[in-house]
Amino acid sequence: MKEMFDRAAHLGVESIVIGMPHRGRLNVLGNVVRKPLRQIFSEFSGGTKPVNEGEGLYTGTGDVKYHLGTSYDRPTRGGKHIHLSLVANPSHLEAVDPVVAGKTRAKQYYSNDRDRTKNLGVLLHGDGSFSGQGVVYETLHLSALENYTTGGTIHIVVNNQVAFTTDPRSGRSSQYCTDVAKALDAPIFHVNGDDLEAVVHVCELAAEWRQTFHSDVVVDIVCYRRFGHNEIDEPSFTQPKMYKVIRNHPSALEIYQRKLLESGKISKEDIDRLNKKVSTILNEEFQNSKDYVPNKRDWLSAYWTGFKSPEQISRIRNTGVKPEILKRVGEAMTTLPENFKPHRAVKKIFDLRRQMIETGEGIDWAVGEALAFATLIIEGNHVRLSGQDVERGHRGHQVRRQGPVGCYRDGLLLGARAGADGAGAEGAAARPPQLPFLKETRPL
Ligand SMILES: Cc1ncc(C[n+]2csc(CCOP(=O)(O)OP(=O)(O)O)c2C)c(N)n1
């Protein structure tokens, strides 16, 4: 990943939004995003109580701590800096995918990144979830749509050839776990995880592809999982033959060390020195973790300062606007261009709305909603309606009846689709891929 990011930075990328599951997350947090190791150790050992407890920590209850996000300005080998932000996610595998796409797109919007080469989305997946979770396919299908593209997401599949305990033959119908991406005009690189230089080469190639052709690209790292799915899983219960092979297989590090020694480019002493350096860093950080005091909101970036936590009661603010402003925007939104001939039924709606604005009487939910959007816009906010049928105005005021579904921590609001137009109850689900780009209404 580091080589991929360095290459991307060299080719103009300034900011990377990353989404990933549990597997390898601590490694990515510590080595790539550079979350302080002392902080990670502290969190795992139960940690010291934060200074401002009670002011909204979002440390999360009932979910895994390291599902939280973090960000860092990483220096690159070429002497640049690249902003990395790892998005927080729930345990629900792949749910973060459209959020990463949305955040990337929002960053492109706010940084005027018109050719989408400065902001990049990178998603990591497991082989089981890449082939098994429908949201992967839905997100892939957003990739080339004009109103949703981010100029190409780089997908890295950590293909350890088993899901929790499910073998590929029981988990998918295709040969490769990445076949789901064949629907796109995107290259898929399969690479042997034991061959570190090949992995680095392919990761650099993926960055070059994305920056050159602006489409998705997939890196399938074929590897294995040395231990169980988690701390309490004994993998030889379910995959006895596979784990017999794995037990006798040297680690990727051992294989690479041997290769370097055989090439004569590096000595045993060099390797020992490097190993010692890494152990010293880990030990020192572990010692330092014992009196580590977390900041109020270590993982929330400065842009969210002032953002209230669920425990904090927000002051009720006056959100009203002056009647003159409502009238002004109301007139603008009920005026059709002179040379435009509307459909009869549409004209009727416009006439009715104009009457509501003029008299101030009988204002319905749809007009109220349009006035809300219009007043947000004149206050300088960016309002984006996203999803199928928004052009027609399918949902309109029915949404209000059902109530919006909120996931407020990330500023993401999902509107439940109303069961209108004969859509029935199944139409009422708020689906993340439909509305990913409502995310980040404030620039990051
Ligand atoms: C949507 C969803 N379904 C099921 C789970 C439970 N679960 C957690 S990890 C896992 C296996 C995932 O396999 P894979 O994607 O291959 O990743 P690996 O654990 O092998 O790295 C499952 C089923 C989950 N977290 N989210």
Side-chain angles (χ1 to χ4, degrees):
M1 280 178 82
K2 292 194 215 173
E3 299 303 323
M4 174 189 280
F5 292 1
D6 270 8
R7 192 85 197 109
H10 182 72
L11 297 171
V13 172
E14 293 169 5
S15 169
I16 301 183
V17 183
I18 311 163
M20 72 175 298
H22 51 283
R23 187 82 51 216
R25 192 167 175 117
L26 289 176
N27 188 355
V28 170
L29 277 170
N31 287 315
V32 182
V33 191
R34 295 254 185 241
K35 177 171 176 169
L37 295 175
R38 64 190 70 179
Q39 190 183 339
I40 297 176
F41 282 130
S42 162
E43 285 170 4
F44 270 81
S45 60
T48 338
K49 286 276 172 281
V51 255
N52 290 321
E53 205 186 7
E55 275 193 40
L57 289 159
Y58 294 111
T59 45
T61 51
D63 209 334
V64 189
K65 283 186 204 66
Y66 49 88
H67 281 173
L68 294 179
T70 195
S71 60
Y72 175 65
D73 282 323
R74 184 186 167 82
T76 68
R77 212 178 292 138
K80 294 186 173 180
H81 273 89
I82 189 159
H83 184 74
L84 304 179
S85 109
L86 178 65
V87 173
N89 59 282
S91 292
H92 202 98
L93 291 164
E94 308 286 355
V96 76
D97 299 4
V99 178
V100 166
K103 182 166 176 171
T104 309
R105 172 103 185 183
K107 284 189 149 202
Q108 291 171 345
Y109 175 84
Y110 284 111
S111 63
N112 206 20
D113 180 10
R114 284 170 191 264
D115 58 6
R116 312 194 184 284
T117 52
K118 295 198 189 88
N119 295 275
L120 160 69
V122 173
L123 285 172
L124 280 86
H125 316 263
D127 52 314
S129 23
F130 197 65
S131 54
Q133 283 295 114
V135 67
V136 172
Y137 195 64
E138 295 180 59
T139 309
L140 289 170
H141 268 287
L142 293 171
S143 68
L145 305 185
E146 192 191 340
N147 291 321
Y148 294 82
T149 182
T150 59
T153 299
I154 301 182
H155 301 269
I156 305 172
V157 182
V158 182
N159 178 0
N160 57 21
Q161 305 178 67
V162 64
F164 182 160
T165 58
T166 307
D167 288 317
R169 66 165 185 265
S170 310
R172 62 172 190 261
S173 300
S174 61
Q175 185 177 0
Y176 295 100
C177 62
T178 49
D179 282 350
V180 65
K182 278 187 180 168
L184 305 185
D185 193 14
I188 302 170
F189 299 109
H190 305 283
V191 61
N192 176 2
D194 267 350
D195 188 340
L196 296 194
E197 289 182 8
V199 173
V200 166
H201 178 69
V202 160
C203 284
E204 288 179 337
L205 209 56
E208 283 171 34
W209 174 280
R210 193 276 178 187
Q211 287 301 88
T212 311
F213 299 108
H214 316 294
S215 84
D216 279 29
V217 41
V218 182
V219 175
D220 173 21
I221 304 178
V222 184
C223 52
Y224 59 90
R225 189 185 69 196
R226 184 158 288 275
F227 302 107
H229 174 74
N230 56 26
E231 297 81 346
I232 51 170
D233 174 42
E234 170 47 62
S236 57
F237 286 175
T238 47
Q239 271 80 20
K241 286 187 184 163
M242 186 185 192
Y243 275 83
K244 207 167 162 194
V245 176
I246 292 173
R247 259 198 306 276
N248 295 316
H249 189 73
S251 72
L253 178 65
E254 283 162 355
I255 293 174
Y256 194 53
Q257 283 178 353
R258 203 179 299 161
K259 185 178 165 188
L260 289 176
L261 281 174
E262 280 166 9
S263 75
K265 287 185 187 141
I266 194 165
S267 67
K268 178 86 178 57
E269 290 69 47
D270 293 330
I271 290 175
D272 290 345
R273 208 179 45 244
L274 277 172
N275 277 335
K276 197 159 168 246
K277 187 176 156 194
V278 174
S279 303
T280 310
I281 294 173
L282 289 171
N283 280 324
E284 279 174 9
E285 287 292 300
F286 181 65
Q287 288 308 326
N288 290 333
S289 74
K290 293 182 177 160
D291 35 54
Y292 176 79
V293 181
N295 284 324
K296 203 168 39 150
R297 291 183 194 174
D298 270 333
W299 74 279
L300 284 177
S301 80
Y303 291 106
W304 295 99
T305 308
F307 198 71
K308 302 283 181 207
S309 79
E311 306 98 68
Q312 290 171 285
I313 299 178
S314 182
R315 183 161 56 84
I316 308 279
R317 288 163 203 269
N318 183 3
T319 55
V321 284
K322 295 203 174 90
E324 311 80 90
I325 296 177
L326 288 176
K327 200 130 199 166
R328 206 178 104 214
V329 294
E331 275 164 13
M333 74 195 199
T334 51
T335 307
L336 288 165
E338 270 166 28
N339 54 358
F340 180 78
K341 195 166 179 304
H343 186 282
R344 223 171 351 111
V346 172
K347 174 143 194 330
K348 213 168 130 197
I349 294 172
F350 269 74
D351 289 345
L352 206 66
R353 289 187 177 179
R354 169 54 73 104
Q355 212 182 320
M356 291 176 200
I357 298 293
E358 276 169 4
T359 61
E361 308 263 315
I363 293 179
D364 63 16
W365 282 112
V367 170
E369 189 171 70
L371 286 171
F373 292 144
T375 48
L376 281 170
I377 290 167
I378 60 162
E379 284 170 11
N381 298 298
H382 172 54
V383 176
R384 178 177 157 101
L385 293 184
S386 164
Q388 295 192 357
D389 314 319
V390 289
E391 184 177 76
R392 186 194 185 279
H394 164 94
R395 55 192 83 192
H397 54 277
Q398 287 105 347
V399 169
R400 291 276 148 76
R401 264 188 245 140
Q402 291 213 312
V405 176
C407 171
Y408 298 101
R409 188 167 71 187
D410 270 350
L412 169 67
L413 179 74
L414 301 180
R417 189 177 154 199
D421 279 6
E426 101 287 354
R431 295 158 65 217
Q434 281 197 322
L435 293 164
F437 307 119
L438 287 179
K439 193 172 187 314
E440 304 300 359
T441 45
R442 281 207 292 174
L444 278 175

